[in-house]
Amino acid sequence: MKLFKFIFSKTFLVQLILAVVVLVALIFGALKYLDVTTNHNETIEVPDLSKFQLDIVDKKLEEMNLRREILDSASFNPKYPPFSVLDQVPKPGKRVKANRKIYITLNPSGYIDVEIPQNLIRKTRRQVEPTLIALGFKIGEIIMRPDIAKGAILELRHKGETIEAGDFLQKSSAIDLVVGDGSLR
């Protein structure tokens, strides 16, 4: 019985109303604070940075109050200038807040150098060609030379010079194959 009297007493009801008012004021204040500090509905459209050099990208982003971070250099793409932007996150046209980081992937200065693998000499052309192509090389001329082994790779050449296992060549280089014709028996 005392509990019901206390709940319906003037003191309890005043305290309850005061607590509700303070709670509503705190929630309203927190929402206003978040609205001001998070720049609600104030966004910037992300520009298209593809094919721009890094110094131009920095100027554009600084003008728009954005920042950049380089993720990594990707595989060389000959359609883009060296050290230009290949990809960006967020994508162009997306809306972001001020001071947001734009993550960019740069085009390296050229193809990487790839090592010529071991044990290609005296293997068949059917074994060697896919290996070289998988490493990013192109197959150049096929030069036939008299040898006992028909279709065996006798030598690898690049621009007329013999290359050995362990040498490095730029990816996408053309490698000429000297192949045995099986005429010596």
Side-chain angles (χ1 to χ4, degrees), residues 59-120:
K59 287 177 188 173
K60 276 188 133 183
L61 293 180
E62 190 176 319
E63 289 170 3
M64 300 181 81
N65 196 18
L66 296 170
R67 299 177 294 147
R68 69 147 167 94
E69 185 164 319
I70 299 172
L71 287 179
D72 196 7
S73 293
S75 298
F76 180 69
N77 186 339
K79 295 177 185 173
Y80 286 77
F83 302 114
S84 64
V85 176
L86 287 176
D87 191 28
Q88 69 184 66
V89 175
K91 296 290 183 196
K94 294 285 185 179
R95 305 219 40 102
V96 297
K97 305 250 178 175
N99 207 26
R100 167 78 190 265
K101 275 187 186 175
I102 307 297
Y103 297 94
I104 59 177
T105 303
L106 292 181
N107 195 25
S109 62
Y111 289 107
I112 60 171
D113 287 342
V114 179
E115 184 177 3
I116 304 297
Q118 303 287 328
N119 303 324
L120 294 181

Side-chain angles (χ1 to χ4, degrees), residues 4-71:
F4 284 114
K5 274 188 178 181
F6 176 70
I7 289 176
F8 294 108
S9 70
K10 185 178 179 181
T11 308
F12 179 74
L13 290 176
V14 168
Q15 293 294 324
L16 183 63
I17 291 171
L18 190 60
V20 168
V21 167
V22 168
L23 183 65
V24 168
L26 282 174
I27 290 173
F28 181 75
L31 289 175
K32 280 296 180 191
Y33 172 76
L34 287 174
D35 201 22
V36 170
T37 58
T38 60
N39 300 327
H40 188 64
N41 287 333
E42 295 177 24
T43 59
I44 301 167
E45 187 173 331
V46 177
D48 185 6
L49 303 172
S50 63
K51 295 190 178 181
F52 286 120
Q53 299 286 339
L54 204 52
D55 55 341
I56 296 170
V57 167
D58 286 340
K59 287 177 188 173
K60 276 188 133 183
L61 293 180
E62 190 176 319
E63 289 170 3
M64 300 181 81
N65 196 18
L66 296 170
R67 299 177 294 147
R68 69 147 167 94
E69 185 164 319
I70 299 172
L71 287 179

Side-chain angles (χ1 to χ4, degrees), residues 120-137:
L120 294 181
I121 305 302
R122 290 288 172 194
K123 296 265 176 130
T124 66
R125 184 175 161 194
R126 285 180 51 179
Q127 291 172 310
V128 172
E129 280 185 6
T131 302
L132 293 174
I133 291 169
L135 290 170
F137 296 114

